């Protein structure tokens, strides 16, 4: 029974990993768009004495959206910042339990943040809220895009949490390390080789 569940979770994690990569890439494109907008704004102020775009407002939205779109990719690559001086010296089974506890804490954080973000976006939509700026952007639009990234991150955390839980129950410490453990030196070296080629 555990094997079928594990296989299903592994397939779902594969889909989430691909989706997370594409969301992170889309966030990168948005950041490049921000660079272009700021460049146009600086040049237009210099040459025409006024702004041709409203970069300040739009870049604020883009930074929030692109950040949330990268969270799941960062989780899947185990790239979140860790302080693991003590962790790496513990037995692998205890590290697995600590990884599970960290994922539980992250899942609780996701529940709170996604719930609050949903309430904010729904309230903005229901009230027809607009930004108090020359663009008058309906704020539910950037809030919904921000919420999309947060919800995808919550899904990724939930799937990794379940897979780590089942791996812990099966005693599969290698899979726990692969999914949630602090990256080893060998993993970092392999990652650097991938980026170099």
């Amino acid at each position: 029974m555990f094997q079928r569940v594990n296989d299903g979770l592994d397939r779902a994690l594969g889909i989430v990993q691909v989706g997370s990569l594409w969301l992170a890439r889309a966030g990168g494109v948005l950041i490049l768009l921000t660079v272009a907008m700021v460049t146009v704004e600086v040049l237009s102020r210099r040459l025409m004495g006024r702004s041709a775009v409203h970069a300040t407002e739009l870049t604020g939205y883009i930074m929030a959206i692109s950040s949330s779109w990268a969270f799941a990719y960062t989780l899947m690559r185990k790239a979140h910042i860790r302080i693991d001086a003590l962790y790496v010296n513990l037995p692998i089974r205890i590290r697995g339990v600590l990884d599970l506890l960290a994922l539980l804490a992250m899942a609780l954080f996701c529940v709170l943040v996604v719930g609050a973000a949903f309430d904010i976006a729904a309230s903005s939509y229901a009230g027809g809220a607009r930004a108090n700026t020359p663009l008058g952007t309906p704020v539910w639009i950037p809030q919904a895009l921000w919420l999309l990234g947060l919800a995808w991150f919550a899904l990724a955390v939930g799937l990794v949490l379940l897979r780590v839980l089942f791996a812990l129950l099966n005693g599969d410490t290698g899979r726990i390390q692969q999914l949630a453990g602090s990256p080893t030196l060998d993993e970092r070296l392999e990652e650097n080789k991938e980026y170099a080629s």
Side-chain angles (χ1 to χ4, degrees):
M1 176 187 156
F2 276 142
Q3 190 57 44
R4 286 178 55 191
V5 172
N6 288 339
D7 291 343
L9 285 171
D10 285 338
R11 279 192 300 277
L13 281 170
I15 293 167
V16 167
Q17 193 161 14
V18 170
S20 299
L21 173 63
W22 283 102
L23 273 176
R25 286 177 175 169
V29 169
L30 288 176
I31 289 180
L32 290 175
L33 179 65
T34 297
V35 170
M37 283 191 304
V38 169
T39 302
V40 168
E41 177 144 347
V42 167
L43 290 174
S44 67
R45 285 184 186 208
R46 179 83 172 140
L47 300 173
M48 299 183 309
R50 64 182 180 84
S51 175
V53 294
H54 300 282
T56 304
E57 178 182 357
L58 296 175
T59 56
Y61 299 145
I62 288 172
M63 293 307 288
I65 292 164
S66 62
S67 295
S68 76
W69 286 4
F71 289 163
Y73 179 74
T74 306
L75 172 73
M76 301 308 278
R77 299 290 295 182
K78 300 192 307 184
H80 288 107
I81 295 172
R82 297 172 179 242
I83 301 171
D84 58 5
L86 179 61
Y87 171 92
V88 294
N89 294 313
L90 295 172
I92 196 161
R93 184 106 174 132
I94 293 174
R95 288 189 304 203
V97 171
L98 292 175
D99 291 331
L100 181 66
L101 289 174
L103 285 165
L104 282 168
M106 197 177 294
L108 176 61
F109 170 78
C110 286
V111 166
L112 296 173
V113 170
V114 170
F118 179 81
D119 289 346
I120 290 168
S123 175
S124 295
Y125 179 78
R130 292 185 167 273
N132 187 15
T133 61
L135 286 178
T137 306
V139 293
W140 70 268
I141 296 171
Q143 288 170 347
L145 294 171
W146 173 61
L147 175 60
L148 170 71
L150 294 173
W152 187 260
F153 176 56
L155 173 67
V157 169
L159 287 173
V160 172
L161 171 66
L162 286 174
R163 187 59 182 95
V164 166
L165 174 63
F166 283 111
L168 193 61
L169 292 174
N170 287 336
D172 188 358
T173 54
R175 187 68 173 136
I176 296 169
Q177 174 61 35
Q178 183 185 23
L179 285 169
S182 188
T184 63
L185 181 58
D186 290 338
E187 288 174 332
R188 288 293 181 209
L189 290 173
E190 189 62 36
E191 184 178 308
N192 287 337
K193 284 181 192 174
E194 287 176 24
Y195 287 128
S197 52

